Amino acid sequence: MKRGKLRIYLGAAPGVGKTYAMLSEAHRRIERGTDCVVAFVEHHKRPRTEVMLHGLEQIPRREVEYRGTMFTEMDVDAVLLRRPAVALVDELAHTNIPGSRNAKRWQDIDELLAAGIDVVSNVNIQHLESLGDVVATITGVRQRETVPDEVVRRADQIELVDMAPQALRRRMAHGNIYKPDKVDAALSNYFRPGNLTALRELALLWVADHVDEHLREYRAEHDIRNTWQARERIVIGLTGGPEGRVLIRRAVRLAEKGAGGEVLAVYISRSDGLTSASPKELGEQRALVEALGGTFHHVVGDDIPSALLDFARGVNATQIVLGVSRRRTWQYVFGPGVSATVARESGPDLDVHIVTHDEVSRGRGLPMTRGTRLGRSRIAGGWLVGVVGPVLLTVLLDSAAPDVGLANDVLLFLTLTVAAALIGGLAPALASAAFGSLLLNYYFTPPLRRLTIADPENMVALAIFVGVAVSVASVVDLAARRTHQAARLRAESETLSFLAGSVLSGETSLDALLERVRETFGMESVVLLERDGDVGPWTCTSRVGEPRPHGRPLTRPEDADVDIPVSDHMALALSGRVLPAEDRRVLSAFATQAAGLLDRRRLVSEARHARELGESNRIRTALLAAVSHDLRTPLAGIKASVTSLRSHDVEWSDEDRTELLTGIEAGADRLDKLVGNLLDMSRLQTGTVDPLIREIDLDEVIPMAVVDLPEAGVVLDIPENLPMVRVDPGLLERAVANIVENAVTHSPDNEPVLISASAIADRVEVRIVDRGPGVPDDAKERIFASYPRHDPTPNSSGAGLGLAVARGFTEAMGATLSPEDTPGGGLTMVLSLRSGAAATDLPTTAMT
């Protein structure tokens, strides 16, 4: 069955019009004849949104009872049974009521998509999981209802519903979002201009990054190499010299001129040659570019201008920043240099900035060494000097200087042999020595014009010439091979130092390491494959990059251009080009590190699981220790009372029977509260408490919390004009009940517990005051610990869980619970709740 398509309307804040846009899209589709229904849309009594629902078929909602209150959720089964072409589902990040089919609404939507139903939904930027900390920093509000970024990124279409902060505040002031009595508080808190501007910027940048991903995929699929200047992306070409810091700062300033600019610093090292890069300087430059918000990349390439341009076009860069060459003036006879070459070959799609600096013409500091893997031009030059050179020298000496002497002739021919060795290697030098000896014998050794030697001294001279020529050529070739080995080791150590630096700097992501491998060796894709046994199928553990169009993803090491075995059941596979054998040693180090990261990730997961098991075991141990006595006490009382009632030896009066039954009921109540606290503590320890936050009046909750306590033991002072609070009523009731019960237990019989409430700024404080013995300062936090109990009252009972459960519930609701000394003696518990008027932490049920 073909999977349905997901379209998401993304907004920066509540009220920008996501639900309205979604409903408008539904009307347009219905006009085109599409079968479209409303699976779940919350209009929040906003007239304009409510009007848009007219004319749309709405699937009845499913009612769910939770803690005595009825709630409505999307009926997934009804939608699947109706099977429309398109379903509208509001509030993607919504958390379903406990007991629902799925925990989150995006999971409900995933079921609809799997059934082939297209879904249109919406979400606010602050509910993306990766932005939780950023939004909390900006607004001071921690969003509890979130959706994984990957769920949103997988959408087939993402449309930004944008609105200027000023326009959104005007919409708020006109009462189009919240009720008039909440407008002022909302405008002065969450909907401040600075908050809205920052959230809008987050939304715009997130969508821009998402669009950039699609652009890269499209360019790769269609093999588009030219740069599309859709976004300013600046590449800095670093050489490892001191001028790099100037280039980095200049590039960052260029990026800051355009919103959303990105800076990428790249260092290109030769695969087989020594460079003038200072590892220390490169490390400092890397730290600088990362501190300024850019990224650092290390690429291997023999042709530096081509490698730089390929990298820039690969990342769709728009500008390249290079420094003026540090070479001295006379060195330009060997070529125009990297900067000039890049500027000439960049084409019209890349702007090249060549920046001056203090190191111009001061030299590179370390000698530049030639590549030891000779190209065709070098080999051709060596043969030209070794074969044609002796001919030209013979003509010159025979016509212009026939009488310079055999010794000088031998030295001149020896010079050509050395030159051929330096340029083309051993083979051209040996050919030059052999050909030169023949020419010397025929033209310059008596008898002339004959391949014979009359004078034994001349024979010795020619023999010495051949011997010296061969020796010099061999020494030069040996030096070149040693240089090549040193260069390879230097290049390998440089790459490995970057690998070690990445590990030490905290780059422990397996995908990041594979991406570094792909960049370093210029590959198209890198895949880490693993299998369970010797003959089991290979599975992809991690993958970066994609093969060229029409290329198949790697599923076996045998299909790769390069495969590095990591172990019997793991291999690193690369596609793009065949690497030389000497590169495999460095690649093996990367492969080993990748396997280590994979093992580390699994060990972390196992350690986390072990900690959870250890915590569960600790909880069970503490639970047994805490309740060993507290369960027996009420059970003993119940058992004694039941035994007495069943006794036939004693005639019990009605008054005695009533007293015994009352004792049984009191013991059962104590057991029920103890078991309830134990279950609540277990939920808190395992993180399964899922608060349902809504606005409610305190006078609807506090009286219910003390209904089981003696009326004379509690005094309520709850003003009627208090603002509503944003809490889970059930959790608040349980928390207050535990706190008050603890206060009543420790208060003298003639001193009732006082429960008062007052509004302070954007909070509402509930104070539970007792006149008991109080708690020392050093024990105030210990009274909230699980199971241990600071209990100076000899008659107290219970496992000491009440206050621990109360604090756990209050923190789950975003509230706080703290102890204070009561003036005159005793303890005051201060419960600080969020005011509903502030409208700070907005759940998805209040967002459209």
Side-chain angles (χ1 to χ4, degrees), residues 414-428:
L414 183 60
T415 302
L416 287 178
T417 301
V418 173
L422 292 173
I423 297 174
L426 181 60

Side-chain angles (χ1 to χ4, degrees), residues 319-442:
Q319 302 179 54
I320 298 179
V321 175
L322 299 171
V324 177
S325 177
R326 288 182 284 130
R327 296 190 300 172
R328 301 187 188 278
T329 305
W330 62 268
Q331 291 178 303
Y332 282 95
V333 299
F334 298 107
V338 173
S339 301
T341 304
V342 170
R344 184 181 66 247
E345 299 179 359
S346 62
D349 56 342
L350 272 172
D351 296 334
V352 179
H353 302 265
I354 299 180
V355 180
T356 60
H357 49 83
D358 296 336
E359 303 296 323
V360 175
S361 300
R362 291 190 177 183
R364 292 186 176 273
L366 291 176
M368 290 294 293
T369 61
R370 301 170 297 103
T372 56
R373 185 179 298 169
L374 302 178
R376 293 181 179 179
S377 60
R378 290 286 300 277
I379 295 175
W383 281 101
L384 184 66
V385 172
V387 176
V388 179
V391 174
L392 296 177
L393 180 60
T394 300
V395 173
L396 178 64
L397 292 176
D398 189 50
S399 60
D403 299 325
V404 296
L406 181 60
N408 293 326
D409 293 335
V410 170
L411 290 176
L412 290 174
F413 275 90
L414 183 60
T415 302
L416 287 178
T417 301
V418 173
L422 292 173
I423 297 174
L426 181 60
L430 294 177
S432 176
F435 190 42
S437 64
L438 292 176
L439 292 176
L440 283 170
N441 184 11
Y442 189 81

Side-chain angles (χ1 to χ4, degrees), residues 506-515 597 601:
E507 291 184 13
T508 57
S509 169
L510 182 57
D511 290 343
L513 178 66
L514 296 185
E515 180 63 27
L597 286 178
R601 186 169 67 183

Side-chain angles (χ1 to χ4, degrees), residues 492-539:
E492 291 177 6
S493 63
E494 190 176 77
T495 303
L496 292 175
S497 69
F498 277 108
L499 174 61
S502 301
V503 175
L504 293 176
S505 63
E507 291 184 13
T508 57
S509 169
L510 182 57
D511 290 343
L513 178 66
L514 296 185
E515 180 63 27
R516 186 168 294 278
V517 173
R518 190 186 69 82
E519 285 184 355
T520 300
F521 295 96
M523 307 302 286
E524 294 173 6
S525 66
V526 181
V527 182
L528 186 62
L529 300 173
E530 190 178 21
R531 61 180 178 182
D532 293 333
D534 294 335
V535 296
W538 291 96
T539 59

Side-chain angles (χ1 to χ4, degrees), residues 545-567:
E546 293 294 338
R548 290 189 181 274
H550 311 300
R552 294 183 303 171
L554 295 176
T555 56
R556 300 183 308 166
E558 302 85 53
D559 299 333
D561 294 319
V562 181
D563 68 285
I564 302 295
V566 182
S567 64

Side-chain angles (χ1 to χ4, degrees), residues 590-670:
F590 278 99
T592 303
Q593 179 63 22
L597 286 178
L598 182 61
D599 291 340
R600 189 179 311 158
R601 186 169 67 183
R602 290 172 177 171
L603 288 174
V604 168
S605 177
E606 292 175 1
R608 186 184 303 112
H609 183 61
R611 284 196 299 270
E612 293 174 356
L613 293 177
E615 180 66 15
S616 299
N617 185 62
R618 188 192 68 81
I619 292 173
R620 285 193 293 269
T621 302
L623 174 64
L624 291 174
V627 304
S628 58
H629 171 74
D630 296 292
L631 284 174
R632 289 181 176 275
T633 301
L635 283 174
I638 294 173
K639 177 68 174 177
S641 298
V642 171
T643 302
S644 299
L645 288 173
R646 289 173 57 87
S647 175
H648 300 289
D649 300 335
V650 181
E651 282 291 334
W652 301 102
S653 64
D654 292 340
E655 183 179 349
D656 293 334
R657 288 179 176 274
T658 300
E659 184 178 352
L660 290 172
L661 291 173
T662 301
I664 294 173
E665 184 178 14
D669 289 341
R670 288 175 58 188

Side-chain angles (χ1 to χ4, degrees), residues 288-305:
L288 175 61
V289 72
E290 291 177 348
L292 295 176
T295 57
F296 186 90
H297 305 265
H298 179 207
V299 176
V300 175
D302 291 327
D303 189 344
I304 292 180

